[in-house]
């Protein structure tokens, strides 16, 4: 048989925490939690780092482009020097042609030497700029030395031929340098466009990623805030529902946890308030029933007493010497039956009057057996007990307990009503309810056992949950066992339910037998 037990002096088990209305503990936060501020700082830091990377890339490409620009500028300077050298060679050739027939060979060679020296200076500079393209300076210098020593036409013609060769070399180098410069210029333009496009794409990519992150972040934040708003409105309107799923661990996530805890706490407070209201309504109802019962007892007490007196008089006259009652119409009357029924009515009236008598609301010493007898005597008139065997097995040596009589009556009545409902529709065997009491050195025990339909394991785990019921609408509120648990707890006791589907249910209620509980109850 499955056993469920609630002990007031130790914490509830986790599976029963929600059933008893205790708010579930807040979910454990992960080890590393990023707040919204931290996330913002991370995004800003990432954006700054990305901007620095783009800037480094741009500066690096700028240096490369500057180097290419300097090479292009150098090529332009080289091209200009080659053109100038070509022009100097041409001037040297023209000077030779102009002075080949001069009368003063010394003066003529001086004029030619001026152009030759300029050409040599340009060749030296070009050799420094174009180390891989060596100019034929040796042949030119040799022919110049020969012509300078002997300025004959043959030597001058040889020098002209060499100058024309040098001029042709300059022209060829100029074309090569121009081609290189054009290639470098085209590469420079292509690289400039590539750098500009790459920088633009990187900037657009960064802005796009930042925009996507911002959109996703605020969309999720908006959705979560909308869920929070809807949940808060539900709580305000009194609908609790299931707790929100915690999908984030920042300030909004902590707010979700707080709202869940608030809903659980409010639900617990509502259930406790409902229980207190039910207790108050029960006290008011019991007071009203008591007043009504007292009035009914008083109103029917006098007629019953009169009928009882008449029946008693008839009995006495029949058993006496009255001849009139032994003959005639009175011969077959049965005043003894009237007397028996009036005694029964009188007993019921006494029970109602005893039940309706004022009871103390403060804890006091109580006879638990007497409470069980009076409550079961009153409830036996319930039509659900028709055909049900109600048996008592009470310990005559049961010690008195400290308690509130009205609350214990409510406890016993709820347990008996549940037992009667469990026996409803029983087809096999005799429906039976057994009330047993026993005691040990520290506590008194009340056992109410039935052989009804029993409780399955899933339902058994939730029987003490407020507003949980398996009864149809209009027949149960789901507060019976919850009130029983609350009353038992107030008396410092425990309640256990042992049930097997199809075999029956046993409810055991334990009450302490010491003065500590009395003092604790008085301090409430």
């Amino acid at each position: 048989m499955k056993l469920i037990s609630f002990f007031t002096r130790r914490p509830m088990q986790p599976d029963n925490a929600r059933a008893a209305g205790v708010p579930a503990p807040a979910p454990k936060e992960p080890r590393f939690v990023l707040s919204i501020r931290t996330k913002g700082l991370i995004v800003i830091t990432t954006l700054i780092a990305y901007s620095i990377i783009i800037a480094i890339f741009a500066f690096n490409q700028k240096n490369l482009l500057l180097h290419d620009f300097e090479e292009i500028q150098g090529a332009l300077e080289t091209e200009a020097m080659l053109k100038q050298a070509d022009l100097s060679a041409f001037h040297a050739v023209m000077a030779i042609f102009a002075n080949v027939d001069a009368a003063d060979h010394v003066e003529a060679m001086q004029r030619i030497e001026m152009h030759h020296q300029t050409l040599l200076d340009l060749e030296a500079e070009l050799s420094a700029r174009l180390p891989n393209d060596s100019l034929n300076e040796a042949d030119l210098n040799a022919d110049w030395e020969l012509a300078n020593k002997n300025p004959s036409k043959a030597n001058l013609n040889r020098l002209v031929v060499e100058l024309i060769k040098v001029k042709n070399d300059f022209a060829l180098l100029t074309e090569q340098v121009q081609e290189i410069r054009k290639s470098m210029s085209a590469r420079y333009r292509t690289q400039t466009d590539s750098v500009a496009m790459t920088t633009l794409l990187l900037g657009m990519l960064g802005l796009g990623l930042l925009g996507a992150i911002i959109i996703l972040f605020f969309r999720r934040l908006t959705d979560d805030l909308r869920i929070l708003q809807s949940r808060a409105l539900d709580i305000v309107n009194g609908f609790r529902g299931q707790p929100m799923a915690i999908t984030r661990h920042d300030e909004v996530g902590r707010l979700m946890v707080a709202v869940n805890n608030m809903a659980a706490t409010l639900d617990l407070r509502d259930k406790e308030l409902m229980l207190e209201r039910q207790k108050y309504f029960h006290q008011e109802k019991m007071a009203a029933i008591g007043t009504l019962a007292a009035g009914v007892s008083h109103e029917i007490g006098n007629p019953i007493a009169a009928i009882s007196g008449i029946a008693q008089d008839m009995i006495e006259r029949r058993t006496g010497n009255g001849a009139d009652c032994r003959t005639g119409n009175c011969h077959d009357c049965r005043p003894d039956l009237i007397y028996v029924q009036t005694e029964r009515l009188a007993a019921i009236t006494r029970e109602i009057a005893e039940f309706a008598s004022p009871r103390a609301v403060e804890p006091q010493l109580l006879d638990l057996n007497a409470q069980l007898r009076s409550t079961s005597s009153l409830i036996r008139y319930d039509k659900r007990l028709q055909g049900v065997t109600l048996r008592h097995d009470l310990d005559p040596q049961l010690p008195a307990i400290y308690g509130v009589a009205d609350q214990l009556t409510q406890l016993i009545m709820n347990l008996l009503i549940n037992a009667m409902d469990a026996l409803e529709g029983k087809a096999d065997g005799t429906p039976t309810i057994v009330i047993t009491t026993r005691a040990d050195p520290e506590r008194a025990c009340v056992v109410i056992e039935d052989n009804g339909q029993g409780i399955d394991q899933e339902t058994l785990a939730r029987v003490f949950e407020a507003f949980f019921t398996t009864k149809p609408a209009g027949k149960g509120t789901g507060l019976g066992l919850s009130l029983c648990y609350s009353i038992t707890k107030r008396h410092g006791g425990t309640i256990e339910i042992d049930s097997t589907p199809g075999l029956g249910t046993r409810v055991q209620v334990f009450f302490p037998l010491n003065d500590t509980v009395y003092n604790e109850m008085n301090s409430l």
Side-chain angles (χ1 to χ4, degrees), residues 301-311:
N302 292 333
I304 290 174
I307 296 172
S308 177
I310 294 172

Side-chain angles (χ1 to χ4, degrees), residues 80 92 181 223 288 340 369 372 382 387 391 400-401 405 412 417 449 461 466 475 478 504:
R181 179 181 59 78
D223 292 340
V340 170
N369 288 338
L372 289 167
D382 194 312
R391 190 168 68 247
I401 66 169
I412 297 168
I417 289 174
E449 186 174 5
K475 192 172 182 180

